[in-house]
Amino acid sequence: MNLDDRDRAILALAQGDLSICEEPFDEWSGKLGIPVEEIISRLQALKEKGVIRYMKAILRHKQAGFTANAMVVWAVPEPRVDEIGEKIASAAAVSHCYEREGFGRYTIFSMIHARSRDEIMKTLSTIARSVGIDDYQVFWSIKELKKSSMRYFQEEESRDE
């Protein structure tokens, strides 16, 4: 799909944070020099064309009090990866859930957030019972070194093309 300069500029802004205010797209309108209505209609068109899936809020879990985090790797037999992966992913405390290759019997990776390690262990126990998997490993997060969204478009590139 060919994107024009305005689409690229809108996508560059959409990759970042949206201002927390009553009229958040007004800031984008001012930066881009185009009406808010055009920004919204272009975002909708990009969604309909499959360029973007959706726009959503991302909770900064540490600021919200979720200070315990763990990557849990699950040994899920290949024929059950989709079934078990969907069940693990549906747990409210799981923010990310992936199938990965190259880690031996550990095929599902999930990230669990909670207010304490005890809470994570209780959640983990509940998930393990519900999916019938007791072969897993827990890797605790010690320090966050980077947390950001991917940047596919840069504002400067959008304007220079």
Side-chain angles (χ1 to χ4, degrees), residues 3 23 25 30 37 40 54 58 75 79 85 104 124 161:
L3 301 174
E23 305 282 339
F25 292 106
E37 295 77 18
I40 293 170
Y54 43 75
I58 297 175
L124 184 52
E161 290 183 12

Side-chain angles (χ1 to χ4, degrees), residues 114-153:
R115 297 188 193 288
S116 68
R117 284 185 174 214
D118 285 344
E119 190 177 322
I120 284 182
M121 294 309 293
K122 287 177 187 172
T123 298
L124 184 52
S125 177
T126 299
I127 294 170
R129 276 194 313 276
S130 74
V131 298
I133 302 289
D134 60 5
D135 186 1
Y136 57 84
Q137 290 188 23
V138 181
F139 298 95
W140 296 101
S141 296
I142 305 301
K143 178 171 60 171
E144 189 173 278
L145 301 173
K146 178 181 180 182
K147 182 173 187 120
S148 64
S149 298
M150 285 297 302
R151 304 287 299 179
Y152 298 100
F153 296 92

Side-chain angles (χ1 to χ4, degrees), residues 71-86 88-89 96-111:
M71 175 66 68
V72 181
V73 296
W74 303 83
V76 178
E78 181 57 40
R80 299 190 66 206
V81 164
D82 288 340
E83 169 203 351
I84 300 297
E86 286 178 24
I88 292 170
H96 299 73
C97 189
Y98 301 97
E99 176 184 9
R100 300 223 170 162
E101 295 178 340
F103 295 90
R105 67 184 186 274
Y106 298 104
T107 54
I108 300 290
F109 284 56
S110 62
M111 191 71 185

